[in-house]
Amino acid sequence: MNGETGPLLSAIRKHGLGRSNLIPILHEIQKEYRYLPEEELRNVAKIMDIPLVDVYGVATFFTSFSLEPKGKHQVTMCMGTACHVRRSESVLAAAKRYLGIEPGQTTEDMLFTLETVNCLGACAMGPIVVIDGKYHGQVTPARVTKLLQDVADAERIPEHAEDRVAAIP
Amino acid sequence: MARIETPADLEQYRLQLREKFGKYQYAVSVCGGTGCRAYDCINVFETLREIIDKKDMSHTVNLRLTGCQGFCEMGPLMFIHKNGIFYVRISPEAVERIVESSILGDEVVEELLYKSPADGRRIVHQQEIPFYNKQRRFLLAMNRDIDPLNIDDYIAKGGYGSLAWALFESSSEEIIDIIERAGLRGRGGAGFPTGRKWRIARQAPSPDGIKYVICNADEGDPGAYMDRSLLEGNPHQVIEGMTIGAYAIGASEGYVYVRHEYPLAVHHLLEALDQAREKGLLGKNILGSGLDFDIKVSVGGGAFVCGEETGLIASIEGKRGMPRPRPPYPANYGLWGRPTNINNVETWQNVPLILQMGADEYAKIGTEKSKGTKIFSLVGKINNTGLVEVPMGITLREIVYEIGGGIPRGKAFKAVQTGGPSGGCIPAHLLDIPVDFERLQEVGSMMGSGGMIVMDENTCMVDIARYFMEFLTHESCGKCVPCRLGTKRMLEILTKICDGQGTNENLEALESLAADIKASSLCALGGTSPNPVLTTLRYFRDEYEEHIVNKRCPAGICQALITLRIDPDTCTGCGACLKICPVEAISGEKKQPHSIDPEVCIRCKLCISRCPKEAIYTE
Ligand SMILES: Cc1cc2nc3c(=O)[nH]c(=O)nc-3n(C[C@H](O)[C@H](O)[C@H](O)COP(=O)(O)O)c2cc1C
Ligand code: FES
C-alpha cells in the first residue's frame, strides 16, 4: 500500500538500506501503524533485499514488535521483580478481569491493548501501570480498575472525553 | 565556542565556563529522573522557571533539570547549591515559598525537608540523611550537578579531561595498565577484569584493521535501573569512557545498545553525541590528536537475552538476538567478525574516573578483589527505595538497614535478591557478608548488574522461584534444549507446588534438573537459570515443605492455598469491599462486620486493596 511513499521509505531514507538497519526501520513502521502490517513486512523484504523469513524472524523475536493491530489505548503492566514483590500479579489480574482479555490481546471494540513488560526502570514506585504513556505508581487492583474505567467512560461521553482523560491522577 | 582543537583549548574553554557559571548567584537542581517524572517533577521545574523568569532572575539563578539523584522514594527532589538545602516531595504549589525563603532568602521551609522516620527530626542537608551519608557517590554525584542536555556543565566539572590526558599524555598500553592496576571489573554481572579484556581486544588481529567497542545498556535485569539513570543523567561520561577505551584498543567505531523501554535515555544520549561531535570531542581527529572515533546508537526490541554479549551483537547486526557458543569471544571475533570489546554502562563510566583519580587511589576503595563502588537499585519491601552507590565490601545489612532504612510497617526481613534472574535470594543470617563478587557467588547468588530487591515476611519464596522461572521460560531464546525445555519443566513443578499439588519427590527433581541445566546450557541465561530455585531451596526449604506437606503458603501469597477473611473487630461495615467484589462473595449489613464466603471467593484480593481499615487478611 504505502511501500513506495509511506513510513517505510522515509525510515529507509533516515537509516539506510543495510541489514543492521532492519530493527530501527521496523521500529519506525511500528510507530506509524502501532503494529507491523504484513504488507509492509513484504515491502521491507523486497526493498532491503532481505529474505522475508528473516524479516519475519526478527519481527517475531523481539517483544516490542506486534504483528497484530493494537487498540486505541495502550495499557502496559510491569511484571518486573520489584513490582512483583509489591503484588503486581493481583493488579494484572484486576486489569484482565476488567478488560476481559489476556496480556498481548486487544479488546473486541479495539479500545484497549493489554501488555506486560519486564521492567520499566521506575521500580521505586512499583507496582507500575502505564496507560497511554503516562506512568501510574503504587497501583492497587482497585485503582487500576478505576483508571481503566475512567478511560472507558471518557470514550463513551465524547464531549467530555478530553477533560476526563486529563483528570486521571 | 565551536570546535575544541587542542587540549589547551579544552582547558581554556573550561576556565571560561567556570567563570560564566561562577557569575550565577544561585544554582538549583530539580531531579528529572524517571521516578520523579512519574511524580510530576516537570511541573515543579516549569513552575520554578516561570517564577524565576517573572522575578527577572534568570541571570542570577542557574536552573537545572537533572538526571536521577537517587532518592526516588522522596521525589520530586530539589537541591539548592548555595546553602545545600535539600527538599523532598515538592508540589508545584510549594515552589513559590521555596523561592522566597530559600533562594532569595536564607531560610528553610521546615515541612518540605526530609523527616527522619526514626525520631521525626527534619534534616536540612542531603549529606546528613542516612540514605545518603553511608554512600560514596563517585559516579552518581555528578547526576545532581549537571544538566545532561548541556555539555558545558560536564566540561566545567572537569569532563573530557581524562580523554585529553589519555590522548596526549599517555599511550594505549599505559591506559590498559592503569585500568588493570585499578582492579576494575565488569559491572554487567560477571565481573570480568576490564583491563584484561581490553588487552585481548587490543592484541587480537583484525582482517581489515577495524575494531569495535560496544556499551551494553540493555539492562534486562528486572528491578534494576542504574544503567538507565547513568545514561539519562550523565551520558557524556559514558561517551568519554568509550572514547578512551577505543583509543586503548584501537577501535574506530562504537555502539551503544539501549533497550527500547528507555526512550529518555536514548534521547539524552543522542543529544550528547551531537554536542560532543560539534565540540570536536567525538568524530574525526578528536582534540587534534589524529584519533577518529564515532558512536552509533542501536535500540533493542525487548528481549532479555540480548543483554548477553553475543546475542546483543547479533541484534546490532539486524538478526534475531540469539547467543552463540563462545569461544571465540567477542574480543577476538565480535561485531561483523571483528575484534570487539563490550562493557557495561557503569564499567565505561568508571574509566574517566579512574584516570582522574589514578589507579592507586581508586584501588583503595573496596575489597582485595573487588575495587571501586557499585550502584544498586534498592527496591521492593524497603523504606528508602532508590539508587545507592556504595563502596565494595559494605555489608548487605548496612545497605538494607542503614541506607535503606529497614522494612516498611515493621515487617520482618526475609531475603534480599541480587543478580536478577541469574542470581539468588540471600537470607537474614547472611546479611553480614560484604558486597564483593566472590562472596556473593559463594552464597549462591551473584553481583549481577545491580538490582537489589528486598523481600519481607509477606513474600513467598516458592512464588519468587516460580516467578523467575516463568520469566526465564519466556526469555529463553530456544536455541538450546536444556534451557528451552529445562526451564519449562522446572516451571511446571514450581507451579504445581504453588497450586498445592506438590509432592516430596518434586524437590529432588528440581535439584537434578538444575544440575543438568547448569552443566549443559549454551549461554549463561540457561547456565544460571536454576540459581533462584537453588538458593530458595537451600535457604527456605521449610517454605517449600509447608506448601507440599501442609498445603499452606505461610506468606499468604499462593492463591490456591489461602483463605481471605475479614476481621470483625476492625471492619466498620462501610461496604466498600462488597461493592468491588466481582463474584459477590462478600455479605453483611451496613455498619455491621462483613464476611467472605470462601466457597465463592476467587481470592483476587480486590477487596484488600479497597478496604480503608485494612480489615481483610489472608490465612
Ligand atoms: C542472559 C544474559 C543477560 C545479560 N544482560 C546484561 C545486561 O543487561 N547488561 C549488561 O551490561 N550485561 C549483561 N550481560 C553480561 C554481558 O554478556 C557481558 O558480559 C557484559 O556486558 C560485559 O560487560 P562488563 O565486562 O563491563 O560487565 C548479560 C549476560 C547474560 C548471559
Ligand atoms: S520492576 Fe517494575 S518498574 Fe522495575
Side-chain angles (χ1 to χ4, degrees), chain B residues 185-194 197 214-221 227 259 304-310 312 323 326 341-348 422 449 472 523-526 528:
Chain B
R185 294 172 64 174
R187 303 295 195 242
F192 192 85
T194 306
K197 190 144 89 176
I214 296 177
C215 171
N216 187 344
D218 194 47
E219 195 158 58
D221 172 0
D227 292 347
R259 61 200 303 237
F304 175 66
V305 77
C306 287
E308 197 280 338
E309 52 193 26
T310 59
L312 184 152
R326 301 171 310 170
N341 179 74
I342 172 162
N343 280 123
N344 167 264
V345 179
E346 196 181 332
T347 316
W348 286 120
S422 313
S449 56
L472 288 157
C523 84
L525 187 148
T528 55

Side-chain angles (χ1 to χ4, degrees), chain B residues 112 124 282 297 455 528:
Chain B
L112 296 174
V124 181
L282 189 70
V297 178
M455 300 168 181
T528 55

Side-chain angles (χ1 to χ4, degrees), chain A residues 71 99-101 105-113:
Chain A
L99 297 173
I101 50 175
Q105 296 181 339
T106 300
T107 51
E108 232 162 66
D109 56 7
M110 293 301 285
L111 262 190
F112 292 99
T113 296

